[in-house]
Amino acid sequence: MANRQSLIAGNWKLNGTRSSVVKLASEISVGAGSLGVEILVCPVSVHLADALTVVGNSPVHLGAQNCSDAVTGALTGEVSADMLVEFGCEYVIAGHSERRALFHESSEQVAAKCLAVQKAGMTPILCVGETLEQRETGQVETVIASQLDALLDVGGIDAFRQLVIAYEPVWAIGTGKTASPEQAQAVHEMIRERIATQDAEVGDALRILYGGSVKPDNAALLFSQPDIDGGLIGGAALDAESFLAICEAAATTSDSAPIGSPAR
Ligand code: PGA
């Protein structure tokens, strides 16, 4: 089995001011030390430059919450992947359920964004997940499969080499309702198997994060599941103490290599 390094990513969503982002990023950078997990923070795009001044000299990585699939053009309000690279971004979240639901992003658009992110040299965090209704009507596997297949169709298995997946059941996001470790593990295993049937090595190396109401008190149980390689954290990522406690839970439950290994 591949030795997958745990990743804990903070999705700060539409929150913060220039000064609060610097404060939060500083507190996380100081606490990140040598925890042995990879730590990522994703502020809004206009706060990236401020965040970079802090995390640029720390083990904490920087990511964006979204980007355009286009490189340039008459696309008012959009931000391209190349522009994010200039601000030190190494990751971009693609297809978060809020963007799928509120901004009507289709799986095809999300797949195009993943390819644009990779082309710019960054790693997409592809979010997948079912709604409560889809779960209750037995559609979990079909929904997730179609979200994955949209990328497989345009990028093939190669698109999964430099990619992280975040399984985020929509009903668990910001609701305080977490998937049980067993529920989450079952979906993570299904995702890995689907990719592994295309290429066993890619499936084995693929990092799959869980997201949806991860808190310091439920993180360790989730992260100790064999196919859960970390978390995408929303609410609890806005408080340095909670976020670092979640990072610590990942450090104590993983068999990751010590930090310092990822190229920066
Ligand atoms: P939450 O958000 O941790 O607040 O549920 C997770 C996410 O939306 O990525």
Side-chain angles (χ1 to χ4, degrees), residues 11 13 93 96-98 127 168 172-176 211-215 232-237:
N11 174 11
K13 306 192 182 182
I93 299 170
H96 188 280
S97 66
E98 287 152 13
C127 299
E168 299 205 300
I173 296 176
T175 58
S213 298
V214 178
K215 307 286 177 217
L232 180 55
I233 321 297

mmCIF file of all heavy atoms in Angstrom, residues 11 13 93 96-98 127 168 172-176 211-215 232-237, ligand 1:
data_model
loop_
_atom_site.group_PDB
_atom_site.id
_atom_site.type_symbol
_atom_site.label_atom_id
_atom_site.label_comp_id
_atom_site.label_asym_id
_atom_site.label_seq_id
_atom_site.Cartn_x
_atom_site.Cartn_y
_atom_site.Cartn_z
ATOM 1 N N ASN A 11 -10.697 25.276 4.272
ATOM 2 C CA ASN A 11 -11.473 26.024 3.276
ATOM 3 C C ASN A 11 -12.127 27.185 4.022
ATOM 4 O O ASN A 11 -13.114 26.996 4.715
ATOM 5 C CB ASN A 11 -12.522 25.081 2.657
ATOM 6 C CG ASN A 11 -13.468 25.810 1.732
ATOM 7 O OD1 ASN A 11 -13.251 26.973 1.377
ATOM 8 N ND2 ASN A 11 -14.530 25.119 1.320
ATOM 9 N N LYS A 13 -13.676 29.703 2.904
ATOM 10 C CA LYS A 13 -14.909 30.218 2.268
ATOM 11 C C LYS A 13 -14.916 31.751 2.248
ATOM 12 O O LYS A 13 -13.851 32.370 2.209
ATOM 13 C CB LYS A 13 -16.141 29.628 2.955
ATOM 14 C CG LYS A 13 -16.093 28.092 2.994
ATOM 15 C CD LYS A 13 -17.391 27.443 3.384
ATOM 16 C CE LYS A 13 -17.206 25.926 3.430
ATOM 17 N NZ LYS A 13 -18.415 25.208 3.756
ATOM 18 N N ILE A 93 -9.302 24.245 -4.983
ATOM 19 C CA ILE A 93 -10.505 23.434 -4.749
ATOM 20 C C ILE A 93 -11.373 23.534 -6.012
ATOM 21 O O ILE A 93 -11.589 24.632 -6.538
ATOM 22 C CB ILE A 93 -11.286 23.953 -3.522
ATOM 23 C CG1 ILE A 93 -10.410 23.874 -2.259
ATOM 24 C CG2 ILE A 93 -12.585 23.173 -3.331
ATOM 25 C CD1 ILE A 93 -11.014 24.588 -1.044
ATOM 26 N N HIS A 96 -16.542 22.393 -5.371
ATOM 27 C CA HIS A 96 -17.147 22.318 -4.036
ATOM 28 C C HIS A 96 -18.663 22.310 -4.195
ATOM 29 O O HIS A 96 -19.203 22.953 -5.101
ATOM 30 C CB HIS A 96 -16.693 23.526 -3.198
ATOM 31 C CG HIS A 96 -17.112 23.408 -1.764
ATOM 32 N ND1 HIS A 96 -18.390 23.703 -1.353
ATOM 33 C CD2 HIS A 96 -16.439 23.005 -0.660
ATOM 34 C CE1 HIS A 96 -18.477 23.486 -0.046
ATOM 35 N NE2 HIS A 96 -17.306 23.063 0.399
ATOM 36 N N SER A 97 -19.358 21.614 -3.315
ATOM 37 C CA SER A 97 -20.814 21.465 -3.503
ATOM 38 C C SER A 97 -21.535 22.809 -3.470
ATOM 39 O O SER A 97 -22.595 22.964 -4.083
ATOM 40 C CB SER A 97 -21.399 20.527 -2.451
ATOM 41 O OG SER A 97 -21.286 21.099 -1.173
ATOM 42 N N GLU A 98 -20.943 23.795 -2.775
ATOM 43 C CA GLU A 98 -21.577 25.122 -2.786
ATOM 44 C C GLU A 98 -21.504 25.727 -4.184
ATOM 45 O O GLU A 98 -22.434 26.391 -4.637
ATOM 46 C CB GLU A 98 -20.908 26.028 -1.736
ATOM 47 C CG GLU A 98 -21.315 25.619 -0.317
ATOM 48 C CD GLU A 98 -20.298 25.942 0.765
ATOM 49 O OE1 GLU A 98 -19.344 26.706 0.508
ATOM 50 O OE2 GLU A 98 -20.462 25.403 1.877
ATOM 51 N N CYS A 127 -13.935 17.998 -5.456
ATOM 52 C CA CYS A 127 -14.942 17.668 -4.448
ATOM 53 C C CYS A 127 -16.076 16.860 -5.075
ATOM 54 O O CYS A 127 -16.587 17.224 -6.137
ATOM 55 C CB CYS A 127 -15.528 18.936 -3.839
ATOM 56 S SG CYS A 127 -14.307 19.957 -3.005
ATOM 57 N N GLU A 168 -17.259 14.906 0.202
ATOM 58 C CA GLU A 168 -17.990 15.763 1.118
ATOM 59 C C GLU A 168 -19.493 15.539 0.929
ATOM 60 O O GLU A 168 -20.097 16.106 0.008
ATOM 61 C CB GLU A 168 -17.681 17.235 0.843
ATOM 62 C CG GLU A 168 -16.224 17.593 1.008
ATOM 63 C CD GLU A 168 -16.047 19.074 1.326
ATOM 64 O OE1 GLU A 168 -16.472 19.912 0.504
ATOM 65 O OE2 GLU A 168 -15.517 19.393 2.389
ATOM 66 N N ALA A 172 -23.653 16.897 5.189
ATOM 67 C CA ALA A 172 -22.764 17.006 6.357
ATOM 68 C C ALA A 172 -22.027 18.338 6.394
ATOM 69 O O ALA A 172 -21.344 18.653 7.365
ATOM 70 C CB ALA A 172 -21.757 15.857 6.347
ATOM 71 N N ILE A 173 -22.161 19.140 5.325
ATOM 72 C CA ILE A 173 -21.380 20.374 5.254
ATOM 73 C C ILE A 173 -22.051 21.494 6.033
ATOM 74 O O ILE A 173 -23.186 21.881 5.724
ATOM 75 C CB ILE A 173 -21.159 20.798 3.785
ATOM 76 C CG1 ILE A 173 -20.311 19.735 3.075
ATOM 77 C CG2 ILE A 173 -20.482 22.154 3.709
ATOM 78 C CD1 ILE A 173 -20.112 19.999 1.609
ATOM 79 N N GLY A 174 -21.348 21.977 7.041
ATOM 80 C CA GLY A 174 -21.831 23.107 7.828
ATOM 81 C C GLY A 174 -23.078 22.796 8.644
ATOM 82 O O GLY A 174 -23.736 23.702 9.149
ATOM 83 N N THR A 175 -23.424 21.528 8.770
ATOM 84 C CA THR A 175 -24.663 21.161 9.464
ATOM 85 C C THR A 175 -24.410 20.594 10.857
ATOM 86 O O THR A 175 -25.342 20.435 11.637
ATOM 87 C CB THR A 175 -25.407 20.061 8.672
ATOM 88 O OG1 THR A 175 -24.524 18.936 8.540
ATOM 89 C CG2 THR A 175 -25.826 20.554 7.301
ATOM 90 N N GLY A 176 -23.154 20.267 11.141
ATOM 91 C CA GLY A 176 -22.852 19.610 12.413
ATOM 92 C C GLY A 176 -23.125 18.110 12.343
ATOM 93 O O GLY A 176 -22.844 17.370 13.273
ATOM 94 N N GLY A 211 -14.690 15.556 4.061
ATOM 95 C CA GLY A 211 -15.104 16.889 4.507
ATOM 96 C C GLY A 211 -16.575 16.894 4.877
ATOM 97 O O GLY A 211 -17.390 16.175 4.276
ATOM 98 N N GLY A 212 -16.910 17.693 5.864
ATOM 99 C CA GLY A 212 -18.296 17.797 6.323
ATOM 100 C C GLY A 212 -18.343 17.707 7.829
ATOM 101 O O GLY A 212 -18.321 16.617 8.388
ATOM 102 N N SER A 213 -18.334 18.899 8.461
ATOM 103 C CA SER A 213 -18.420 18.991 9.922
ATOM 104 C C SER A 213 -17.325 18.218 10.656
ATOM 105 O O SER A 213 -17.575 17.612 11.693
ATOM 106 C CB SER A 213 -19.808 18.568 10.412
ATOM 107 O OG SER A 213 -20.796 19.442 9.886
ATOM 108 N N VAL A 214 -16.114 18.243 10.103
ATOM 109 C CA VAL A 214 -14.983 17.672 10.852
ATOM 110 C C VAL A 214 -14.624 18.642 11.965
ATOM 111 O O VAL A 214 -14.496 19.849 11.747
ATOM 112 C CB VAL A 214 -13.745 17.441 9.947
ATOM 113 C CG1 VAL A 214 -12.578 16.894 10.769
ATOM 114 C CG2 VAL A 214 -14.076 16.505 8.802
ATOM 115 N N LYS A 215 -14.499 18.111 13.169
ATOM 116 C CA LYS A 215 -14.180 18.909 14.359
ATOM 117 C C LYS A 215 -13.072 18.182 15.121
ATOM 118 O O LYS A 215 -12.844 16.989 14.887
ATOM 119 C CB LYS A 215 -15.411 19.041 15.277
ATOM 120 C CG LYS A 215 -16.678 19.550 14.589
ATOM 121 C CD LYS A 215 -16.626 21.046 14.284
ATOM 122 C CE LYS A 215 -17.881 21.490 13.541
ATOM 123 N NZ LYS A 215 -17.714 22.474 12.532
ATOM 124 N N LEU A 232 -10.978 18.060 4.496
ATOM 125 C CA LEU A 232 -11.224 19.407 3.989
ATOM 126 C C LEU A 232 -12.146 20.044 5.028
ATOM 127 O O LEU A 232 -13.272 19.587 5.237
ATOM 128 C CB LEU A 232 -11.887 19.353 2.603
ATOM 129 C CG LEU A 232 -12.208 20.697 1.935
ATOM 130 C CD1 LEU A 232 -10.978 21.592 1.823
ATOM 131 C CD2 LEU A 232 -12.784 20.475 0.527
ATOM 132 N N ILE A 233 -11.625 21.072 5.685
ATOM 133 C CA ILE A 233 -12.271 21.591 6.881
ATOM 134 C C ILE A 233 -12.840 22.979 6.619
ATOM 135 O O ILE A 233 -12.115 23.872 6.159
ATOM 136 C CB ILE A 233 -11.246 21.696 8.050
ATOM 137 C CG1 ILE A 233 -10.274 20.491 8.067
ATOM 138 C CG2 ILE A 233 -11.943 21.889 9.389
ATOM 139 C CD1 ILE A 233 -10.892 19.152 8.304
ATOM 140 N N GLY A 234 -14.102 23.187 6.935
ATOM 141 C CA GLY A 234 -14.729 24.496 6.756
ATOM 142 C C GLY A 234 -14.746 25.268 8.065
ATOM 143 O O GLY A 234 -13.756 25.893 8.458
ATOM 144 N N GLY A 235 -15.860 25.217 8.766
ATOM 145 C CA GLY A 235 -16.048 26.006 9.986
ATOM 146 C C GLY A 235 -14.897 25.921 10.978
ATOM 147 O O GLY A 235 -14.407 26.952 11.465
ATOM 148 N N ALA A 236 -14.436 24.709 11.246
ATOM 149 C CA ALA A 236 -13.390 24.535 12.262
ATOM 150 C C ALA A 236 -12.029 25.045 11.793
ATOM 151 O O ALA A 236 -11.099 25.154 12.591
ATOM 152 C CB ALA A 236 -13.287 23.063 12.666
ATOM 153 N N ALA A 237 -11.923 25.388 10.503
ATOM 154 C CA ALA A 237 -10.644 25.896 9.994
ATOM 155 C C ALA A 237 -10.491 27.388 10.266
ATOM 156 O O ALA A 237 -9.417 27.959 10.052
ATOM 157 C CB ALA A 237 -10.531 25.630 8.499
HETATM 158 P P1 PGA B 1 -17.632 22.283 7.254
HETATM 159 O O1 PGA B 1 -17.315 22.593 5.720
HETATM 160 O O2 PGA B 1 -16.393 21.703 7.850
HETATM 161 O O3 PGA B 1 -18.005 23.607 7.845
HETATM 162 O O4 PGA B 1 -18.779 21.316 7.272
HETATM 163 C C1 PGA B 1 -16.570 21.705 4.938
HETATM 164 C C2 PGA B 1 -16.483 22.218 3.531
HETATM 165 O O5 PGA B 1 -17.421 22.858 3.058
HETATM 166 O O6 PGA B 1 -15.470 22.019 2.839
#
